[in-house]
Amino acid sequence: MRSSTERINIAASARKLDVDNRISLRYYYRIADNILKQADIFRAEKNIIDLYIMLLRFSSLTSETIPCHRDYGASLRDQKVYFKKRLVNALTELEDLKPQVQQKIIELNRRYTYQSNSVQQSAVKNQNLTYHGVTKAVGPAARELGYYGSRTQHLSYSKPMEEQFQRMSLNLLRPKEETLSKHSILGPNGLYGQWQPPRSDRGVKYPSNVDLTPVEFPSLQQPKENELPGKIDHSNSEPVASSVESTLTVDHVDKEKSHVDEPCPMISFEEPETSPAHNDITRQPSPPPVLAEVQDLVHATHASKTDCTIENPSADGIVHSESPLELHIATTMMESFMKLAKSNTDRNLETCGVLAGSLKNRKFYVTALIIPKQESTSNTCQTTNEEEIFEVQDKKSLFPLGWIHTHPTQSCFMSSVDLHTHYSYQIMLPEAVAIVMAPTDTRRKHGIFRLTAPGGMSVIRQCQQRGFHPHNPPPDGGSIYDSCTDVYMNPSVKFEVIDLR
């Protein structure tokens, strides 16, 4: 149930959560409950690695984070006893799972090493690339130059040139051999021969004009510095040329001498295919969900599906969090929310809602849109009774997956107030998102955002200001928040609207 293209680091994914006394102790206990709820699901799905990680997070939260909260000493005794019992059970299960998890990680890391070696070997072996009837022989040295069109490589046409003309679907007569021999840039032998540099002892003569005024036309002979771009001066690049030449698969003996000086083709009859990048492919269910707010997503045909990437601690000692799981949202949910918010939007008032849902096969699904009681202005929106929200989530066993709110007259962005609001959601669950609906923004009508980790989360955790205020960038120089790359608009997801107003 879990595959990876990165080496799994349990310590990095089960990092310690620093306490923030601005967040109530009860909120931290809810985080612990949600972690146990995820652990129950992973246990039922026999996903021992994620189960192990959840139990480690729970153990760290209840033994290292919660006891450091300033209100822990005054908390209810029964609550302390309950979580201590759960902690003992978690530690016992961790000991039982440890051998299995270690073996599973060894297998996954061995698979990662095997896949990495396979990719490298295939990159070396895959030297002959066929582009619509044109075969390019490319060697490793040419790949190291950063492109596939080395000027010293040999091109062999696998189909007759007449078929190439026919595939162009142009109503043009076939040029005569005499014309080709005089005017083709490919040389005296036309399209079948190799290009030769112009000769100084022979030029092309043109007839004079009908007005009998003598007009002289220059010869096609060009100075050396103005030669055709296909001609290469190898005087300064002999080592590179020789190394590339040695790796190319070309005709031997009779073509060796001309091969070194052969230029890249001046005319292309087909659109070349781009070489697929070695990135992870995301296989989507049918009907396929649409990846939200993401561009330039490259799909590779050889890579295995990446369910999760766990990053290692960086050189500065900061532990980077595990990449969040996919989040799937119904394609009609945002439209439904805008209909509910229309009366407020018409009066230039913000509207907010809470996203909640379920977890299955390492994917979160937003299955509930909760509209709480709230107080709104043109720039802010505040819920007034969080207990009702928690009651709905607990009754239906839902995970808090984020929130959604409108910017009636502003652009699509996250204000400083929005960042502080979302901080509490992302503390509860790293996958939580903030959706901003901006109906008057002509550039983008909505955005799906998340605080960057650890940069953005660290900035907001250390910020003590309130209201609208500027924030300094994270120490790593990145952004405080960013668009999500793992949120899918899925037409198969069903959701219910729970309006508590």
Side-chain angles (χ1 to χ4, degrees):
M1 297 181 64
R2 182 187 180 116
S3 61
S4 177
T5 56
E6 298 288 343
R7 294 187 181 276
I8 295 179
N9 189 325
I10 294 293
S13 58
R15 75 242 178 248
K16 175 185 176 182
L17 180 64
D18 293 327
V19 68
D20 188 341
N21 288 316
R22 296 173 300 177
I23 298 177
S24 66
L25 180 62
R26 182 187 58 171
Y27 204 83
Y28 279 102
Y29 281 129
R30 291 193 63 83
I31 297 175
D33 282 330
N34 279 317
I35 292 176
L36 289 178
K37 191 188 304 181
Q38 292 182 67
D40 292 339
I41 294 174
F42 290 137
R43 186 184 298 106
E45 295 176 345
K46 301 186 184 305
N47 184 348
I48 61 172
I49 293 183
D50 286 306
L51 170 60
Y52 193 83
I53 291 173
M54 289 300 112
L55 293 177
L56 281 177
R57 288 184 180 179
F58 174 80
S59 302
S60 174
L61 184 67
T62 54
S63 64
E64 297 178 302
T65 304
I66 291 179
C68 295
H69 198 282
R70 63 186 177 188
D71 297 331
Y72 179 74
S75 60
L76 297 176
R77 181 177 179 277
D78 292 343
Q79 200 170 35
K80 293 180 180 178
V81 172
Y82 169 78
F83 280 99
K84 284 183 178 179
K85 289 182 179 179
R86 300 302 300 268
L87 174 61
V88 172
N89 294 337
L91 293 175
T92 302
E93 188 172 5
L94 283 171
E95 288 297 322
D96 295 337
L97 289 174
K98 188 175 181 179
Q100 304 175 52
V101 172
Q102 287 179 336
Q103 181 63 30
K104 187 69 174 178
I105 291 177
I106 291 174
E107 294 176 3
L108 290 176
N109 286 341
R110 184 184 297 117
R111 186 186 308 170
Y112 158 76
T113 303
Y114 174 78
Q115 290 175 353
S116 299
N117 294 337
S118 299
V119 169
Q120 293 176 359
Q121 293 174 3
S122 63
V124 173
K125 292 180 180 179
N126 187 23
Q127 298 178 2
N128 292 328
L129 305 178
T130 302
Y131 295 149
H132 300 287
V134 180
T135 302
K136 290 187 177 182
V138 183
R143 296 175 186 272
E144 292 176 1
L145 294 177
Y147 59 91
Y148 287 100
S150 173
R151 296 177 184 267
T152 58
Q153 69 189 33
H154 175 72
L155 295 181
S156 60
Y157 292 87
S158 60
K159 292 185 178 182
M161 191 53 60
E162 286 80 7
E163 294 185 18
Q164 298 289 347
F165 275 103
Q166 293 175 4
R167 294 181 63 178
M168 293 175 64
S169 300
L170 298 177
N171 296 324
L172 298 176
L173 295 177
R174 178 73 168 85
K176 297 180 179 180
E177 296 296 331
E178 180 183 0
T179 304
L180 291 175
S181 64
K182 290 184 177 180
H183 300 282
S184 175
I185 62 173
L186 298 178
N189 294 324
L191 295 173
Y192 298 97
Q194 296 179 344
W195 181 86
Q196 297 293 336
R199 297 176 57 180
S200 58
D201 60 343
R202 185 175 61 189
V204 179
K205 296 182 180 180
Y206 294 85
S208 61
N209 291 341
V210 294
D211 60 1
L212 303 180
T213 303
V215 178
E216 295 183 1
F217 289 85
S219 169
L220 291 179
Q221 173 66 25
Q222 300 290 337
K224 185 174 182 180
E225 59 271 14
N226 294 326
E227 285 184 357
L228 291 173
K231 179 66 176 165
I232 298 177
D233 182 7
H234 293 280
S235 59
N236 297 326
S237 58
E238 286 187 358
V240 176
S242 60
S243 63
V244 174
E245 180 188 358
S246 63
T247 62
L248 303 179
T249 57
V250 297
D251 296 338
H252 303 290
V253 185
D254 58 331
K255 294 185 180 179
E256 272 185 347
K257 296 182 180 179
S258 62
H259 169 63
V260 178
D261 295 326
E262 184 180 350
C264 64
M266 299 296 296
I267 298 177
S268 174
F269 296 101
E270 298 290 339
E271 289 293 331
E273 297 177 354
T274 56
S275 178
H278 300 313
N279 290 345
D280 298 329
I281 185 171
T282 303
R283 298 192 180 97
Q284 301 171 342
S286 179
V290 179
L291 193 61
E293 296 297 333
V294 178
Q295 298 177 351
D296 298 331
L297 184 66
V298 180
H299 292 271
T301 59
H302 61 274
S304 61
K305 182 176 182 294
T306 300
D307 290 327
C308 185
T309 300
I310 300 176
E311 299 178 358
N312 294 328
S314 61
D316 56 7
I318 300 177
V319 176
H320 293 251
S321 62
E322 181 185 30
S323 296
L325 304 181
E326 289 181 9
L327 178 64
H328 290 245
I329 302 175
T331 53
T332 59
M333 193 207 68
M334 288 185 282
E335 180 183 355
S336 299
F337 173 72
M338 291 304 294
K339 291 179 179 179
L340 292 170
K342 187 178 186 305
S343 60
N344 279 350
T345 302
D346 293 341
R347 294 182 295 161
N348 193 25
L349 297 175
E350 286 194 3
T351 307
C352 67
V354 176
L355 309 177
S358 59
L359 171 64
K360 183 179 181 180
N361 293 332
R362 306 191 78 248
K363 294 181 178 65
F364 283 104
Y365 299 89
V366 176
T367 58
L369 171 61
I370 305 172
I371 310 298
K373 294 181 177 69
Q374 53 195 274
E375 296 176 351
S376 302
T377 68
S378 60
N379 298 318
T380 61
C381 185
Q382 181 70 36
T383 59
T384 57
N385 192 347
E386 285 189 341
E387 289 299 328
E388 288 184 327
I389 302 175
F390 295 153
E391 183 179 349
V392 171
Q393 292 176 348
D394 293 341
K395 183 178 180 180
K396 296 180 176 292
S397 190
L398 300 174
F399 291 97
L401 297 178
W403 63 304
I404 181 172
H405 74 290
T406 58
H407 281 183
T409 60
Q410 300 183 61
S411 59
C412 185
F413 74 107
M414 291 280 282
S415 68
S416 58
V417 174
D418 296 340
L419 296 177
H420 281 267
T421 300
H422 184 65
Y423 171 76
S424 60
Y425 284 95
Q426 201 163 326
I427 281 288
M428 177 75 76
L429 191 73
E431 286 79 5
V433 297
I435 302 179
V436 178
M437 306 298 299
T440 60
D441 192 336
T442 58
R443 185 177 61 90
R444 59 189 304 185
K445 299 298 183 182
H446 76 274
I448 305 177
F449 305 112
R450 188 180 287 135
L451 289 168
T452 57
M457 292 290 289
S458 176
V459 169
I460 302 302
R461 180 171 63 85
Q462 297 173 7
C463 179
Q464 303 296 324
Q465 300 184 58
R466 292 292 181 268
F468 295 98
H469 58 276
H471 287 113
N472 293 325
D476 59 6
S479 60
I480 295 181
Y481 72 96
D482 204 353
S483 296
C484 298
T485 59
D486 42 37
V487 177
Y488 290 80
M489 308 309 297
N490 192 335
S492 301
V493 175
K494 307 298 181 183
F495 70 99
E496 62 175 329
V497 177
I498 305 172
D499 197 336
L500 301 177
R501 295 174 298 176

